[in-house]
Amino acid sequence: MDLLFDVAPAPGRRPPLRFEVTGGRMLMIRQGDEPVLLGRVDDGHYGVDYARTGRYRSPVPPLRAAHAAAVAVDGGATWWARWAHHFRSELSDSGSGPLHEGRWVLTSRVPRLRTRWQLCSADQGYVDYEGDWPVLPLRTPAGPSDGRVKAYRKQARDGSLPPVLLWWAS
């Protein structure tokens, strides 16, 4: 299931959360004027050396358990559609996300998902995207004893855990 939507032109405006690529195989993800991820494409291989800066702030505010439980009612395709509309609204209203002029899609399908996801939890390292497709969080993931993680476990048990919002870039 997909939610397609268009973002109107905003002349002279760059998206607040964006990729920037330079010569010498260097790339950066910025949020406003702040670099949040630095990378260098590995010459001759399929990977990137990366370093997170710790400056990323999510354009989607934290989800409260009561809101997640309300959206989880009924399940099925309508569950996904409600979450897609929620994320679209939050990304459109935030002013700090990746949306820019053009057509966007929120989908329940993950592009080119291999047998498993590779979660890159270190603040710096190497991502090999020749095998499994890596998921590179823009902030350091919370540890297993963090209160958020405990709350997510509870939501998973009671069937109200929200979906993961991934920004896929080819």
Side-chain angles (χ1 to χ4, degrees):
M1 172 174 255
D2 295 341
L3 173 63
L4 291 170
F5 62 99
D6 293 311
V7 174
R13 183 184 168 275
R14 292 188 294 184
L17 185 61
R18 64 191 178 276
F19 280 94
E20 294 182 359
V21 181
T22 66
R25 303 179 319 272
M26 304 299 287
L27 63 91
M28 176 178 4
I29 297 179
R30 279 189 191 269
Q31 191 169 33
D33 293 331
E34 296 288 333
V36 296
L37 185 108
L38 306 169
R40 182 168 189 260
V41 177
D42 187 5
D43 192 23
H45 294 90
Y46 297 99
V48 174
D49 289 299
Y50 72 89
R52 281 191 287 262
T53 65
R55 297 181 184 146
Y56 172 74
R57 300 296 170 253
S58 176
V60 177
L63 296 165
R64 302 291 172 222
H67 179 73
V71 174
V73 174
D74 295 333
T78 58
W79 173 88
W80 188 89
R82 287 192 304 271
W83 277 115
H85 284 279
H86 169 83
F87 286 132
R88 180 185 144 231
S89 176
E90 292 294 340
L91 289 169
S92 297
D93 294 345
S94 77
S96 62
L99 299 183
H100 57 82
E101 176 183 355
R103 176 151 289 180
W104 287 79
V105 61
L106 289 172
T107 182
S108 58
R109 294 170 281 142
V110 178
R112 301 189 61 178
L113 181 64
R114 304 287 174 108
T115 56
R116 62 182 177 87
W117 289 5
Q118 172 190 347
L119 180 64
C120 304
S121 58
D123 284 332
Q124 61 185 18
Y126 181 78
V127 173
D128 178 6
Y129 50 85
E130 184 174 35
D132 294 321
W133 284 83
V135 174
L136 183 59
L138 295 179
R139 66 173 179 78
T140 305
S145 62
D146 186 271
R148 276 182 293 186
V149 175
K150 291 177 183 178
Y152 294 153
R153 283 189 202 117
K154 183 177 181 211
Q155 287 177 306
R157 284 191 301 269
D158 69 20
S160 66
L161 185 68
V164 174
L165 179 63
L166 297 175
W167 179 25
W168 182 76
S170 63

